[in-house]
Amino acid sequence: MALEINSQNFEQLATSGQLVVVDFWATWCGPCQLVGPHIEKLAHEYEGKAVIGKCDVDRDQELPSRFGVRNIPTILFIKNGELVNKIVGAQDYDTLKKAVEAAL
């Protein structure tokens, strides 16, 4: 299951040495609902290799603001505390998996 990522746990995750993938989403966002199952599948598939989770932009405005997230879904790939990739908009599973593989 995808981890809930927010401004309280982000720093610890980002400096863990693992790739961190954050899906910024909201319950009312149709395209986010399409991406959600892909994020869940990736979280299960890459357990132990990467931290893959979701940040609800309605519950936590601080983290999206920090990264300048203006549109959702936005998926950030963070390695060693640095942003290495950013995908904006709904994507299919294969595209997201390739992005995770490239970032690892």
Side-chain angles (χ1 to χ4, degrees):
M1 183 172 172
L3 180 68
E4 182 179 340
I5 299 176
N6 54 47
S7 55
Q8 285 75 43
N9 65 2
F10 177 77
E11 282 305 319
Q12 181 181 7
L13 295 171
T15 58
S16 69
Q18 286 190 307
L19 172 67
V20 178
V21 179
V22 185
D23 171 25
F24 290 91
W25 73 291
T27 57
W28 48 263
C29 168
C32 299
Q33 303 308 319
L34 297 174
V35 172
H38 304 323
I39 296 297
E40 293 291 339
K41 186 175 179 181
L42 290 167
H44 179 71
E45 188 173 336
Y46 287 93
E47 188 172 350
K49 299 176 190 172
V51 175
I52 300 178
K54 301 169 76 158
C55 177
D56 185 334
V57 299
D58 288 331
R59 290 188 186 169
D60 184 348
Q61 291 89 34
E62 185 179 328
L63 193 57
S65 177
R66 175 177 172 181
F67 287 100
V69 173
R70 304 259 185 260
N71 301 300
I72 54 173
T74 292
I75 302 163
L76 302 183
F77 298 78
I78 298 152
K79 193 169 190 178
N80 300 320
E82 299 292 321
L83 181 65
V84 296
N85 192 7
K86 178 179 183 178
I87 297 175
V88 178
Q91 302 293 323
D92 63 27
Y93 173 78
D94 290 334
T95 300
L96 296 174
K97 182 173 179 166
K98 286 176 188 172
V100 171
E101 286 292 328
L104 284 172

